[in-house]
Every structure is written in structure tokens, then in C-alpha cells.
Amino acid sequence: MTKTTNIILTNTPVSEGWQADNPVQIFKNEIHICLKDGQELSLRDIQKAGRKIEGLGIDTAKLTGDLWTEQSQWAFAMGFTCVGKLTNVEFTGDKAGQLADKLAIFAWSRDLTNQTPSQLYPLKLAELAAEYIKTLAPEHVSVGIISGEDLEQQGWTGIYNVGKGSINPPCLMILDYNPTGDSQAPVAASLVGKGITFDSGGYSIKPSAGMFDMKCDMGGAAVVAGALALAIKQGLDKRVKLFLCCAENMVSSHAYKLGDILTYKNGLTVEVANTDAEGRLVLADGLLAAAEANSGLIIDAATLTGAAMMATGGDYTALFGLDADLMEQTKAEAVKANEPVWQLPLERWHQDKCSSVFADTANSRTQKGGGAGGASNAAGFLARFVANEGKGWLHMDLAAAYNGSANSLWAAGGTGQGIATIAALICDKA
């Protein structure tokens, strides 16, 4: 039997004893989140309260009372939910159904990120994402998957080379959501996700501690797939394409090597300076595929660099782009979604930060972590593969997409951060 506990947001403390100054107070088998001195708690405070309440062993939280807003309920849910309880919140008010639908999509994306690398190999990731989105709009979704040697034959050199060292073949999944019924309808937006289902680092091998959480390196694919699912649920009525760049980065006799030179569809040659800078190599293919779709908006998302983690502390998604208006719109939508973001530097000259004697560019520098400005340099590399001088392109380095261990705001595992912001952008732009 499910044990449900009422969670009440109140501006009147219920205890005069030892709990009096605590924001979380227990009274008569109910739990109260108490506002201090009649002042509204921040959404961050409410999320922290949700994490504390889950830690009490509560199975399902039922939000009751008149003070809950849509934003405060969502903040609580993000703090309370965790592995095994990803949908265990009962919302209140006229937005309860919408919040429950949104939470279910976040739960799917977070659960996908939490799966083990043996469960979630590249083709399985592509299939699960396609199946899930198809259930939301079966009549409007078509899917194609290019896998294994077909990738090389069709010119998708980044995905092929990164994944060729694994027994599980790499793949590019192309999903077309087209509710217009017109096969010639323009593509309003394209989403590109990094789907590295396990990242050993390749021959630039990671230490054990750095490799432990690398099942999450497909977090970008989970986020963009979740964002499209949420946008569809919210009534997306324009054509959007989804590109998932899926591979395992492994060490073997067939793996790609330091010093290899890859030639992309746009003619650009790339020297491999670091096999652990594989995410940008697969995303380059996805960005080229998105450019072929001629969409006005291209968003790529990836758990791309340790440099972004160092810069943001893992509390923010790092944003990059060359389109100032799009950057400002993204920051505004992120505030509405309560998904913290921070813009890091990107200029056209960042494209030249990873030089090569033997190719047009290298995929990184040979210094540890790619050297100074590693996250910006990675974004600069990606900028070489976008059209229109970067207009309409947004790169999200998902430093806040996964936590290896619980903290005061989040349970361990995937967070889904970025889903709501991307969904809002494609609904608006589309």
C-alpha cells in the first residue's frame, strides 16, 4: 500500500517547541513547510525542503493547501523526487494535471539517464527515445536510424569513429515530428543530443573515479528527447527534427586513435588530439544533419566538458551562442522554468583555439582538460559546423544534468535540467 503524506505550505508555524525555527515541521502525521515571518520562501528553499522531506522516508507527497503555486509545487517536486520515486508527488490546484504530465516526462528522461551502460547501449538509446515520443503522437512521428558501417558510408564520420571501438555499434537517430501533414513543411527547429552511453575516454582513458558516472554521458540525448516530448504534450504544432548522436567510447584494437584525422561532410578535417573529447566529434555530425534540415533554430545539448562543471559548480547549465537575441531569450525562458543557466564566453575566434599542423583544426588541446577556456573552446569547435554564422544556434553544456551523489537540492542521478527551457524555446520559435 502506498503511504501518502500531506505536505502543507503555510505562513503559520505549527510548533512552538524544538521545531519552531525549522522550515520543515511535523504535526499530526502531516508535514508543514513554514514561511518565515510571513515572507515567501525562495524556490530554492522549497526545493531544499522537498529533499529533506524525502529523507524522512516519505513515500508519496500530497501537496495540499492554498499557498502552493505552480512554481513552488514544481520546485518541491524536483527536490523530493529520486530514484524509485520519480513521479511520487500529487499536485494541487488547476494546474495539477499539467504538472503531473510534466513530471512524468522528466521522470522518463531522468530514468533513461540513470540506466546502466550495459542496459543502455547506443541502439537501445535511440530505440527507447523513438518509442517514447511515438507514443505521444504516433501519427506525426517518423524515425530513421543509421547504424554501424552505414554511418561511414554516408559520411557521418564523427559518430562512426567515436563508436567503432565498441562491440555495440554507434548510430544516428533522426526523428521527424511533423504535425502539419505536409511532407514539404519547413523544419522550424532541430534538436541535437549527445548520446555517449558510456565514456571510457578511449585511449585518452579516464581514471576510475572519473569514469564511474559516465553512464550519464548520454544526458544530452535524454534532455533533448524529453524537451521534444514536453513540447508535444504542450501542443507543439510545427515541424521539429530530433538528432541523437549515439555511441560508446571504448578502447579496443579497432578504436579511433590520437593523431587520426577525420574528414566531415562539410570538408572540414579534424585531428584527434584527445579521444576523451569525443562529444564534440559526434555533435558535429548532428549539427551538420540539422543544417541540412534548414531549420531556423538549432539547439544542441550535451554533458560536454569538465570545464563547464568547474566554472559553474554543477549548479548551472552553461550557455554558448553567437546569436545575442537567442541567448537573451534562452536566459529569460530559463528563469521562468527555474532552470539556472549561465552564459560563458563564445566569439568567432574561439574556432581557432584548437589548432593543428596536419588538419583544419584539432578536437581539443593536448593539455589536461583541454587547457584554459576548455568549455568555450569546445563550443568554438562546434561553431565550425553551424550555418548562418551561428544565427539561430544555441549550445547547452549540461553541467547540471547529473549528480553522482545527493546534495541539499537534488537526489543522486539525472536531474532533467534543460528540458523545460528547450521545450519553451521550440514552442515559441516554432
Side-chain angles (χ1 to χ4, degrees):
M1 179 181 293
T2 300
K3 296 180 180 178
T4 301
T5 302
N6 289 334
I7 312 296
I8 301 169
L9 187 63
T10 178
N11 53 18
T12 305
V14 296
S15 175
E16 296 180 353
W18 61 271
Q19 298 187 86
D21 294 327
N22 294 342
V24 175
Q25 300 180 12
I26 302 171
F27 183 72
K28 292 184 177 180
N29 293 321
E30 295 179 331
I31 298 178
H32 296 248
I33 302 174
C34 299
L35 309 179
K36 294 182 179 180
D37 299 323
Q39 300 297 312
E40 182 178 356
L41 288 173
S42 71
L43 296 179
R44 185 179 178 87
D45 290 332
I46 291 173
Q47 186 168 339
K48 284 184 174 182
R51 186 91 293 277
K52 288 180 180 178
I53 290 169
E54 190 282 322
L56 297 174
I58 304 302
D59 181 71
T60 300
K62 182 178 181 180
L63 307 185
T64 60
D66 298 330
L67 295 185
W68 287 108
T69 65
E70 180 180 356
Q71 291 75 19
S72 61
Q73 290 186 75
W74 188 250
F76 176 89
M78 290 295 94
F80 181 83
T81 51
C82 62
V83 173
K85 302 179 187 179
L86 288 173
T87 58
N88 291 26
V89 177
E90 296 181 16
F91 297 101
T92 188
D94 57 0
K95 295 294 181 68
Q98 295 176 29
L99 286 168
D101 288 343
K102 182 179 177 183
L103 186 61
I105 290 169
F106 267 69
W108 173 82
S109 177
R110 294 169 73 185
D111 180 66
L112 194 66
T113 305
N114 293 340
Q115 290 188 29
T116 73
S118 294
Q119 290 174 313
L120 196 70
Y121 46 90
L123 187 58
K124 187 69 171 180
L125 170 59
E127 290 172 345
L128 288 176
E131 289 168 6
Y132 183 70
I133 294 172
K134 270 189 170 182
T135 63
L136 301 175
E139 69 279 15
H140 300 317
V141 173
S142 59
V143 179
I145 297 177
I146 307 166
S147 181
E149 298 300 319
D150 289 341
L151 288 165
E152 184 180 34
Q153 293 171 11
Q154 296 183 36
W156 304 114
T157 190
I159 300 171
Y160 173 75
N161 277 279
V162 169
K164 71 179 183 178
S166 172
I167 194 172
N168 296 309
C171 65
L172 171 63
M173 190 270 273
I174 304 170
L175 184 147
D176 188 353
Y177 169 72
N178 186 4
T180 69
D182 178 6
S183 62
Q184 301 303 310
V187 178
S190 289
L191 304 179
V192 180
K194 174 186 173 184
I196 302 297
T197 56
F198 186 72
D199 182 17
S200 72
Y203 277 104
S204 304
I205 195 165
K206 296 177 181 288
S208 180
M211 205 187 298
F212 181 71
D213 289 325
M214 283 301 102
K215 66 181 182 181
C216 80
D217 215 18
M218 40 60 64
V223 164
V224 292
L228 178 56
L230 181 59
I232 291 171
K233 199 71 176 177
Q234 293 173 341
L236 178 65
D237 60 359
K238 297 294 176 63
R239 189 177 186 182
V240 174
K241 284 194 171 185
L242 174 68
F243 301 89
L244 300 188
C245 310
C246 307
E248 280 185 335
N249 186 19
M250 303 293 283
V251 179
S252 76
S253 62
H254 194 50
Y256 79 128
K257 304 170 184 69
L258 295 158
D260 281 353
I261 293 178
L262 313 183
T263 302
Y264 281 84
K265 275 195 166 190
N266 62 352
L268 193 79
T269 57
V270 176
E271 183 180 19
V272 178
N274 185 346
T275 61
D276 196 24
E278 85 297 331
R280 64 202 72 178
L281 295 176
V282 302
L283 286 176
D285 279 335
L287 290 171
L288 288 173
E292 289 181 0
N294 293 316
S295 50
L297 173 66
I298 297 175
I299 301 173
D300 76 75
T303 51
L304 199 64
T305 66
M309 287 284 294
M310 292 296 291
T312 67
D315 296 314
Y316 296 80
T317 292
L319 298 184
F320 299 89
L322 297 168
D323 185 332
D325 291 339
L326 177 57
M327 296 299 287
E328 292 306 312
Q329 182 188 5
T330 302
K331 287 185 278 188
E333 293 294 354
V335 170
K336 294 177 188 176
N338 192 31
E339 293 184 335
V341 299
W342 197 262
Q343 184 176 352
L344 292 180
L346 179 62
E347 302 291 346
R348 298 191 193 284
W349 44 262
H350 278 105
Q351 296 181 27
D352 302 318
K353 281 289 189 175
C354 299
S355 60
S356 168
V357 174
F358 303 102
D360 295 322
T361 185
N363 71 327
S364 184
R365 295 172 172 175
T366 54
Q367 297 103 311
K368 180 178 174 60
S376 294
N377 297 342
F381 176 89
L382 295 177
R384 290 175 171 270
F385 298 89
V386 297
N388 303 319
E389 298 185 334
K391 184 173 178 59
W393 167 60
L394 171 68
H395 165 52
M396 302 179 76
D397 197 329
L398 300 173
Y402 185 88
N403 293 301
S405 57
N407 57 39
S408 64
L409 288 171
W410 296 98
T415 67
Q417 290 294 279
I419 290 176
T421 300
I422 295 172
L425 287 170
I426 62 176
C427 282
D428 183 69
K429 284 285 185 178

